[in-house]
Amino acid sequence: MAKSRDITEDFREATHATALSFGYDEAKLVALLASFILRKPLEKPPFEKAAIKTLESISELEHFITKHRKDYVDLHRITEQERDNIEHEVS
C-alpha cells in the first residue's frame, strides 16, 4: 500500500506564492483568507424579517392565552370587565 502524505502546507505555500504573483500584498491576502473563515452575515430579506416578527407575535399571544386560560374559562374567577380586557388584549 502506498503511503499518503499530507500536502496541506505545500498547497498553502503554492496558493500564497500565486496570490503574491497576482499582486496581492500580505494585508490583502490576510483579509481575503479571513473573509473565507469568518463570513459576513447575510442581510435577511424583508419577507423573512416579517415572518420572524409574525412568529414572535404568535408566540407572545400563545403565552398570554395560556397564562389567562384558567381565569377566562372559569366564570367565577374574574369579572366580566376583566374578561373583556383579556379579549381586547388578544384581539
Side-chain angles (χ1 to χ4, degrees):
M1 210 180 217
K3 290 185 177 181
S4 63
R5 183 174 86 88
D6 185 14
I7 57 171
T8 305
E9 284 303 316
D10 296 338
F11 176 74
R12 286 185 182 155
E13 289 174 15
T15 54
H16 184 77
T18 304
L20 292 176
S21 71
F22 277 115
Y24 284 84
D25 61 351
E26 289 294 326
K28 192 173 180 182
L29 186 58
V30 168
L32 180 65
L33 293 174
S35 72
F36 289 140
I37 295 171
L38 302 172
R39 295 185 182 256
K40 297 176 182 87
L42 298 176
E43 180 67 28
K44 293 181 181 176
F47 177 79
E48 188 175 347
K49 288 179 184 177
I52 290 172
K53 187 175 179 182
T54 303
L55 183 61
E56 289 170 353
S57 296
I58 291 171
S59 296
E60 288 175 19
L61 180 62
E62 182 182 26
H63 177 70
F64 180 83
I65 290 173
T66 304
K67 180 180 172 185
H68 294 289
R69 178 182 293 158
K70 289 180 183 178
D71 295 333
Y72 187 81
V73 173
D74 189 3
L75 296 174
H76 304 293
R77 275 191 165 186
I78 59 174
T79 65
E80 193 63 36
Q81 178 63 35
E82 291 172 324
R83 187 171 282 111
D84 288 341
N85 289 343
I86 292 172
E87 288 175 5
H88 178 70
E89 287 202 38
V90 167
S91 64

